[in-house]
């Protein structure tokens, strides 16, 4: 999704104001006039400046060209494809599923389910998806779990 | 006392390190030869594994992967007209034109040998330049480091793709992210909102995996038409046939491309991609056979493919001497060095000369190993290009998940990866380059520390930042870097308004 620069500019200014106001609550260094708030405030000022320039640029573009680049929000071609939206959502949901489930269900089951689903969704046959998911899960478990000794969660099923 | 160079030789020429070099070389060739997967992404995927290695094999893995991935980008560029990495984009059409003339082997052979020679010459420049600059760097105080970091970040914004203002905003986003967590000077938590895990800051590796790998996967699923590319029916066999003649004819191009690449690589933010574009443009402009460019002429290929590999070494010069990365990959490498407790900068010359010498040796070995591995990759190229992305992308996603988990040993790393991946995707969709964000995250801590140290030394008087000759020069240069484009733009506006 593409936003007109003016919208991004407004967002940056709002973010900068909140950031500066919050940073001003930080204490100063002992015996000094400055402290941990200085750097974030400078960043906030910079972001606000960028926001202002982007607003001017976005509005100028909108004024100059009402059709191309003039819209406040425009969607990429991929948004018009249901398949692309589903794939996009599936990838994000897979990551969320991993975050929510891996500690309880265990690494092996979680990653097998994610891989099998995505392999199948991206156009592989059912058998290829299952075999591919099993091999990749096993290889990753071996590489990280056994070789690099990463404590991958085993969940309630011990896998 | 044993010379650090011999200690370094002993450290590098160990079976384990050599095995790491060969495996990473193969990995880099595989990733680089797959269109859409960049050398930076290869590094991002590799870092979780290097996290568990000693410093020398870790550096060896990163250097070899990038060197081989940059060359491997030439393979789909020559065979399919799809550059495997952005660094190959400059001469992709030229190489493909050679393939259409039945010279695929020659195009890839010239690319391989020039990459190796460019890489070796770039390594020599790295070795010479770092030693010379190190003496200079010892004179630096926090004022000089502050301005140098500002100058580096400014250059990174100015040369980044797209609009400068968006590059600047991208950098500020990175700097903001670097402020999250406990402030080391005051011990005050910033922007943590009560989260215990955020007290340690935003973990660098998951952030980088998100920005370079997850955003790439999202772009793939959103835009790919999933059509298998048509691989040309051309036997790629006699790889080195005719290469000698080309190199002999264009030996000065080879030298010029390598030198130009190494020099451009030194500029923060520039790196291999820009080095290849500039070298190709210079080659075309100065050629006696300009009309042949674009029609399968090897001259531009010699300049550009030497330049992109030489640029990799150049990017390590500011990284090793000042701790300021030259591009995204060295930013990642610096992050790894910091995590291993080895802070790059002039002190590394005194405290860890053997590590420094090892880096030089690794560069030479990685570029030499590229020759046989690259040859193998060219011979297997038609098979490698058949690997379907529909199998690769889910596998890469799993690697990202596990890699991010492994750094924090909790799903916290995966959450950071997800947030940063979505942020990078949205930024790129709207024309914001992401390399400045990564540089901001890596350099933010150092920049703030130098800023506050200087403020304490000067008792809050900002004019003191210009009180030392080198600091003043760097400060003026930094301001000039910002003022010059603004003045040029204003002058252009006034001229166009005055025109009848």
């Amino acid at each position: 999704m593409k936003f007109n620069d003016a919208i991004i500019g407004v967002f940056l200014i709002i973010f900068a104001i909140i950031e500066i106001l919050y940073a001003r609550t930080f204490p100063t260094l002992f015996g000094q006039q400055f402290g941990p708030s200085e750097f974030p405030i400078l960043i906030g000022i910079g972001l606000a400046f960028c926001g202002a320039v982007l607003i001017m640029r976005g509005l100028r573009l909108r004024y100059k060209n009402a059709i191309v680049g003039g819209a406040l929000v425009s969607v990429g071609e991929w948004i018009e494809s249901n398949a692309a939206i589903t794939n996009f959502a599936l990838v994000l949901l897979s990551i969320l599923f991993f975050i929510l489930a891996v500690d309880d269900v265990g690494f092996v089951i979680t990653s097998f389910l994610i891989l099998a689903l995505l392999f199948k969704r991206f156009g592989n046959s059912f058998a290829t998806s299952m075999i591919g998911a099993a091999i990749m899960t096993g290889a990753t478990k071996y590489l990280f779990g056994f070789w690099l000794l990463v404590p991958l969660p085993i969940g309630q099923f011990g896998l | 006392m044993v010379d650090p160079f011999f200690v370094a030789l002993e450290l590098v020429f160990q079976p384990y390190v050599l095995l790491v070099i060969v495996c990473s070389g193969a990995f880099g060739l595989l990733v680089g030869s797959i269109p859409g997967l960049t050398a930076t992404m290869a590094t991002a995927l590799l870092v979780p594994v290097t996290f568990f290695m000693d410093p020398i094999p870790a550096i060896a893995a990163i250097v070899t992967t990038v060197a081989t991935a940059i060359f491997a980008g030439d393979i789909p560029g020559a065979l399919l007209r799809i550059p495997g990495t952005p660094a190959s984009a400059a001469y992709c059409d030229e190489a493909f034109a050679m393939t259409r003339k039945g010279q695929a082997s020659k195009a890839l052979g010239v690319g391989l040998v020039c990459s190796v020679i460019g890489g070796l010459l770039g390594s020599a420049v790295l070795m010479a330049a770092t030693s010379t600059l190190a003496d200079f760097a010892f004179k630096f105080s926090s004022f000089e480091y502050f301005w140098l970091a500002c100058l580096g970040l400014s250059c990174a914004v100015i040369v980044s793709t797209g609009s400068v203002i968006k590059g600047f905003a991208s950098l500020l986003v990175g700097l903001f992210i670097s402020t999250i967590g406990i402030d080391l000077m005051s011990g005050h938590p910033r922007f943590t909102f009560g989260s215990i895990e955020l007290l340690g800051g935003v973990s660098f590796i998951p952030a980088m995996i998100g920005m370079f790998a997850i955003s790439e996967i999202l772009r793939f699923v959103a835009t790919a038409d999933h059509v298998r590319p048509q691989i040309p029916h051309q036997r790629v066999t006699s790889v080195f046939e005719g290469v000698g003649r080309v190199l002999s004819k264009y030996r000065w191009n080879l030298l010029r491309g390598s030198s130009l690449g190494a020099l451009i690589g030194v500029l923060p933010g520039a790196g291999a991609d820009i080095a290849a574009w500039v070298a190709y443009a210079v080659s075309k402009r100065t050629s006696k056979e300009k009309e042949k460019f674009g029609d399968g002429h090897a001259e531009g290929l010699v300049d550009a493919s030497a330049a992109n590999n030489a640029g990799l070494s150049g990017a390590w010069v500011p990284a090793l001497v000042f701790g300021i990365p030259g591009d995204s990959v060295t930013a990642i490498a610096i992050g790894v060095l910091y995590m291993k407790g080895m802070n790059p900068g002039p002190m590394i010359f005194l405290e860890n000369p053997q590590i420094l010498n090892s880096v030089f040796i690794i560069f030479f070995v990685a570029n030499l190993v590229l020759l046989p591995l690259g040859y193998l990759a060219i011979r297997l190229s038609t098979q490698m290009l058949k690997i379907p992305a529909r199998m690769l992308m889910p596998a890469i996603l799993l690697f990202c998940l596990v890699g991010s988990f492994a750094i924090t040993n909790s799903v916290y790393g995966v959450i950071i990866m997800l947030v940063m991946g979505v942020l990078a995707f949205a930024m790129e969709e709207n024309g914001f380059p992401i390399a400045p964000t990564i540089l901001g995250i890596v350099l933010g801590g150092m920049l703030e520390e130098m800023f506050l140290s200087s403020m304490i030394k000067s008792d809050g008087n900002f004019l003191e930042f210009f009180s030392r000759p080198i600091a003043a020069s760097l400060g003026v240069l930094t301001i000039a870097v910002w003022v010059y484009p603004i003045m040029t733009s204003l002058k252009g506006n006034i001229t166009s308004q005055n025109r009848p």
Side-chain angles (χ1 to χ4, degrees), chain B residues 427-471:
Chain B
M427 281 171 68
E428 288 208 310
E429 278 274 291
N430 288 284
F432 288 80
I434 56 171
T437 307
I438 284 289
L439 290 174
I441 296 174
V442 173
L443 280 181
M446 175 207 179
L447 186 68
E448 184 176 11
E449 191 189 328
M450 295 302 151
F451 173 69
L452 283 179
S453 301
S454 305
M455 287 289 275
I456 291 170
K457 280 182 205 168
S458 63
D459 208 15
N461 180 7
F462 194 70
L463 285 175
E464 287 286 313
F465 280 64
F466 295 90
S467 61
R468 291 161 57 94
I470 302 175

Side-chain angles (χ1 to χ4, degrees), chain B residues 357-372:
Chain B
N357 282 293
S358 302
V359 174
F360 301 147
I361 297 167
I362 285 165
F363 262 100
F364 282 105
V365 175
N367 280 294
L368 287 172
V369 162
L370 174 60
L371 196 64

Side-chain angles (χ1 to χ4, degrees), chain A residues 1-3 5 19 26-27 36 39 46-47 50 57 78 107 111 115 118-119 122 124 140 144 150-151 153, chain B residues 52 163 166 168 172 176 183 186 188 190-191 221-222 390-391 394 397-398 402 405 409 411 425 429-430 448:
Chain A
M1 188 169 284
K2 290 188 178 82
F3 294 96
D5 285 351
E19 193 237 14
F26 301 159
F39 199 61
L47 283 172
C50 291
R57 221 169 73 164
W78 65 276
F107 170 75
S111 58
L115 284 177
L118 291 179
F119 278 143
F122 290 164
N124 297 290
T140 313
F144 282 90
V150 175
Chain B
F52 298 94
S163 93
K166 287 186 174 177
F168 185 42
L172 291 170
F176 168 73
D183 172 47
S186 64
H188 186 78
R190 298 186 295 189
F191 309 110
V221 297
R390 61 171 191 267
M391 289 300 284
L397 176 65
L398 181 66
V402 183
F405 183 96
N409 282 337
V411 290
F425 178 80
E429 278 274 291
N430 288 284
E448 184 176 11

Side-chain angles (χ1 to χ4, degrees), chain A residues 130-143:
Chain A
M130 293 299 132
I131 294 167
I135 291 173
M136 266 309 295
T137 303
T140 313
K141 171 87 179 172
Y142 179 78
L143 174 65

